[in-house]
Amino acid sequence: MITQHINGERSRSKSTETGPVYNPATGEIQQTVPFASSEEIERAINAAEQAFESWSSTSIPHRAKLMFNFKQLLEKNLDALARLITAEHGKTLEDAKASIRRGLEVVELACGAPNLLKSQYSRSVASGVDCYSIRQGLGICVGITPFNFPAMIPLWMYPLALIAGNAFIHKPSEKDPSASLLLADLLYEAGAPPGLLNVLQGDKTVVDALITHPKVKAVSFVGSTAVAEHIYQTACAQGKRVQAFGGAKNHCLIMPDADLNDAAAAILAAAYGSTGQRCMAISVVITIGDAIAEALITQLKPAIENLYIGSGENPKTLLGPLNTPELLAKVKYYLALGEQEGAKLIVDGRKAKIPEQGFFIGASLFDAVTPKMRIYQEEIFGPVLCILRAPDYETALSWVSQHPYGNGTAIFTRNGEIAHDFAERVQVGMVGINIPIPVPVAYHSFGGWKRSMFGDLDMYGAEGLQFYSRLKTVSSRWPKHTQGHSFNLPTNL
Ligand code: NAD
C-alpha cells in the first residue's frame, strides 16, 4: 500500500485525492497513490522542524555513521528496490540496479562528512586574532523528484542535505512512488531520528504548498523545464534557496575521424536505454558530412530493429515500456509530426512487434532532420533519435550551443585538439569526450545550462553540499591580547 512517511513511520493516508500507479508492462492500474492533505503536510513540516532542532547539533561523525549504515542497507536491499522501480517505472531490472548504484555513490560521498565539512582556519590574521569559516544547515529542505529515476535522484539530494545538518521532505513522482517509501524505511533502520526524512505523496497541489511554506528554507527540483521554471520563480519569490533542473535535448557529434563502430554502439545504448526516458539520453546525432551519416545508419538500422522489446523483468529485454499512456501518445505524436515536417523516418517504432498489452513502442530513427523542426527543438522523452547532417564542425558546434537546452553533450573523435576546443566552447553543462552519457561522478557536480537548469548551484559534489548549507565566519580574540578598541575599521597591522 502506498502511504505517506511522516515522523519516522509509514502513515496510512486519509486523503481522498488519489492518482493511478500503472504497471507499464501490462497497462493496468496496480495501485492508487494518496495525495497528502494539508493536515499531513503540516504534520510532516512539524516533524522535520523538531528533528532539525536536535539533528543540527549532532556531531558530524554521528551523521556520517548514519550514512554508512544507510549505504550498507541500500546494498543489502538493492534487489528489492530495483524490483519496485521496474514494477512501477517499467525499466529493466539491470538498469534499475545501475541507477540505484549511481545514487549510492552520493551516499558513499556523504559517508565522508567529517572531511567534507572540515572548515578553513586562519591563525593570527591580526595580533592575537584567529578567523575560521564553518558551514551549517539551513533547516527544512524539500526535494521534488521526477518519475524516471525514483531512487537515484532522491539519493542525489538528501544524503548531502542531512550531513549538512538539515531535515528533509521528499515529494516523489506520483507515477512511481513506492521506492521513496522503501528508501525512507531504510534510512530509519539505519538509525535516523524521527522526522529527519519525511515523504509526502502528491502532485502540483502538494508541491505548491511545500515550496511556498514559510518554514521551508531550500527547494531542490528535478523534472520538466516548464515545471522547473515555475518552481524556480515561485520559490525564489518566497525567498527560498532554489535549484531546479529541467528537460534536455542532448546532442552527440560524430567527427569524420571517430571510431564509428564504437560511436554507433555507444549511441544505440545512450539513445534507447531506459526507452529514451533519461534526461541524459542522446536524442540528437550530428554527423559532419553525409558519408558518416550513411555509414552510421547502415550500422544503427538493423541494430534498432533487433532490440528485444518486453517487460523490464525479462532478462532479454533491452527496450521496456514507456511509463504512462500519456507518454506513449506523446511519442506517437512526435513521430507523426516528424514525418509532416519532412524528416525521413528510417525506422518507425510504431511498426515494431510489441507485446499486446502495456505502453510499448519500438525504437525510431529519423534522418534529414533540420534545426527548424519541432522534433529537433522539443524534448520527446522516448526512444526517438534524430540525425542532423552538418557541413562542418563549426556549424555543428553552433547548433549544439544555440539549442535552448544545455544539459549534456558528447563528441566522438580521435583528434585531441577538436575535443579540447569542443569542451571549451560548447554552451552545455556536461560534456563527454568519447563518452555518450557524461553524468559526473559523485565528487564532481551535476547540472545543465540554459533551459536545463535554473539556479546557481549544481547537484551533489561540492556544489551540492554548498547548496544545502550556509557559511558562517568567526573571528576570535582572547582578552589576554586586548590592546584597546579603535573607532576606525580594524586592520591587521
Ligand atoms: P514533471 O515535471 O512532470 O514532474 C516532476 C515532479 O514535479 C513530480 O514530482 C511531479 O509530481 C511534480 N509536478 C508535475 N507537474 C507539476 C506542476 N505543474 N507544479 C508543481 N509540480 C509539478 O517531470 P517527469 O515527467 O516526472 O520527469 C521527466 C522530465 O524530467 C523530463 O523533462 C526530463 O528531462 C526531466 N529530468 C531532468 C533531469 C535533470 O537532471 N535535468 C533528470 C531527470 C529528469
Side-chain angles (χ1 to χ4, degrees):
M1 179 197 292
I2 300 165
T3 62
Q4 318 300 333
H5 208 297
I6 301 174
N7 205 26
E9 51 189 32
R10 290 193 187 215
S11 145
R12 202 175 165 155
S13 189
K14 294 194 193 83
S15 172
T16 48
E17 285 265 343
T18 59
V21 178
Y22 290 101
N23 176 345
T26 63
E28 289 157 352
I29 295 177
Q30 49 179 328
Q31 295 205 67
T32 54
V33 49
F35 296 169
S37 64
S38 43
E39 182 272 328
E40 286 165 328
I41 295 172
E42 273 318 304
R43 237 173 349 110
I45 293 270
N46 290 337
E49 191 179 32
Q50 280 193 12
F52 172 70
E53 251 185 65
S54 49
W55 179 252
S56 54
S57 58
T58 52
S59 76
I60 291 171
H62 178 79
R63 299 178 205 171
K65 181 90 172 79
L66 173 67
M67 285 303 135
F68 196 78
N69 294 343
F70 187 40
K71 166 186 142 59
Q72 288 179 318
L73 287 168
L74 283 169
E75 282 162 350
K76 203 168 132 195
N77 289 275
L78 191 106
D79 284 357
L81 201 47
R83 274 197 298 278
L84 285 180
I85 295 172
T86 296
E88 293 182 357
H89 175 286
K91 67 175 76 180
T92 66
L93 269 173
E94 285 312 309
D95 194 35
K97 285 181 202 167
S99 74
I100 300 164
R101 290 194 189 99
R102 290 305 307 254
L104 251 164
E105 286 180 18
V106 179
V107 183
E108 285 163 1
L109 179 74
C111 290
N115 197 37
L116 294 172
L117 290 162
K118 217 159 52 176
S119 62
Q120 291 196 313
Y121 195 101
S122 304
R123 61 175 284 276
S124 287
V125 294
S127 184
V129 177
D130 295 346
C131 184
Y132 63 94
S133 305
I134 54 176
R135 297 204 74 92
Q136 294 184 316
L138 308 165
I140 303 175
C141 300
V142 164
I144 300 143
T145 55
F147 82 85
N148 64 330
F149 287 110
M152 180 182 83
I153 292 181
L155 291 176
W156 285 1
M157 294 177 176
Y158 53 73
L160 291 180
L162 298 183
I163 61 159
N166 300 289
F168 204 89
I169 297 180
H170 176 208
K171 207 302 285 171
S173 169
E174 65 277 36
K175 310 281 170 26
D176 44 15
S178 292
S180 67
L181 296 170
L182 180 53
L183 286 175
D185 286 346
L186 297 179
L187 189 80
Y188 284 103
E189 194 181 332
L196 192 65
L197 171 70
N198 302 277
V199 180
L200 291 176
Q201 314 291 352
D203 63 358
K204 180 177 168 37
T205 312
V206 176
V207 171
D208 284 344
L210 287 171
I211 65 172
T212 54
H213 198 288
K215 289 184 179 166
V216 169
K217 301 295 180 205
V219 175
S220 187
F221 170 85
V222 180
S224 56
T225 288
V227 182
E229 208 165 12
H230 157 72
I231 302 264
Y232 184 71
Q233 285 165 359
T234 311
C236 279
Q238 300 280 324
K240 321 278 184 219
R241 188 177 284 200
V242 193
Q243 54 177 189
F245 301 84
K249 196 85 178 176
N250 304 311
H251 297 61
C252 175
L253 253 68
I254 306 189
M255 298 301 294
D257 67 346
D259 175 340
L260 196 65
N261 291 338
D262 178 49
I267 288 164
L268 184 74
Y272 304 116
S274 202
T275 320
Q277 299 163 107
R278 288 184 187 137
C279 65
M280 289 292 272
I282 292 290
S283 45
V284 174
V285 168
I286 306 181
T287 61
I288 313 301
D290 291 332
I292 310 185
E294 299 298 344
L296 181 70
I297 290 168
T298 305
Q299 292 214 14
L300 282 182
K301 187 171 182 292
I304 295 170
E305 286 168 343
N306 284 326
L307 289 174
Y308 188 92
I309 304 171
S311 144
E313 277 151 16
N314 182 341
K316 283 195 288 189
T317 296
L318 288 173
L319 207 66
L322 289 163
N323 182 244
T324 58
E326 291 80 16
L327 265 178
L328 181 60
K330 185 178 165 201
V331 170
K332 288 182 178 166
Y333 167 81
Y334 276 105
L335 291 175
L337 178 68
E339 285 184 303
Q340 278 165 31
E341 289 184 306
K344 202 168 149 194
L345 194 49
I346 305 284
V347 184
D348 184 348
R350 292 168 299 189
K351 295 186 179 151
K353 195 169 173 305
I354 54 170
E356 275 171 21
Q357 273 141 5
F359 310 135
F360 290 96
I361 189 162
S364 298
L365 179 67
F366 275 118
D367 184 25
V369 177
T370 67
K372 289 217 166 80
M373 294 180 183
R374 279 182 55 206
I375 56 164
Y376 169 71
Q377 291 162 359
E378 297 168 17
E379 183 184 49
I380 301 175
F381 219 57
V384 182
L385 178 65
C386 298
I387 298 178
L388 279 79
R389 302 175 179 211
D392 49 46
Y393 166 70
E394 285 299 327
T395 307
L397 175 64
S398 73
W399 286 348
V400 188
S401 290
Q402 283 164 18
H403 198 281
Y405 291 116
N407 213 35
T409 187
I411 186 168
F412 279 80
T413 180
R414 290 185 170 104
N415 181 330
E417 197 178 332
I418 285 282
H420 183 262
D421 184 80
F422 183 70
E424 284 289 313
R425 288 167 64 207
V426 75
Q427 299 298 299
V428 171
M430 292 172 281
V431 180
I433 296 172
N434 298 317
I435 290 178
I437 304 186
V439 175
V441 290
Y443 37 97
H444 284 259
S445 296
F446 177 106
W449 285 12
K450 300 179 284 184
R451 293 183 64 71
S452 294
M453 201 277 185
F454 303 87
D456 301 319
L457 289 170
D458 280 359
M459 185 128 51
Y460 65 72
E463 295 221 344
L465 192 59
Q466 208 176 323
F467 177 78
Y468 290 119
S469 61
R470 56 184 167 175
L471 188 72
K472 184 179 276 178
T473 306
V474 182
S475 300
S476 74
R477 177 178 59 80
W478 296 98
K480 183 174 154 214
H481 294 285
T482 304
Q483 289 167 354
H485 295 280
S486 167
F487 263 56
N488 298 329
L489 197 64
T491 68
N492 57 2
L493 297 175

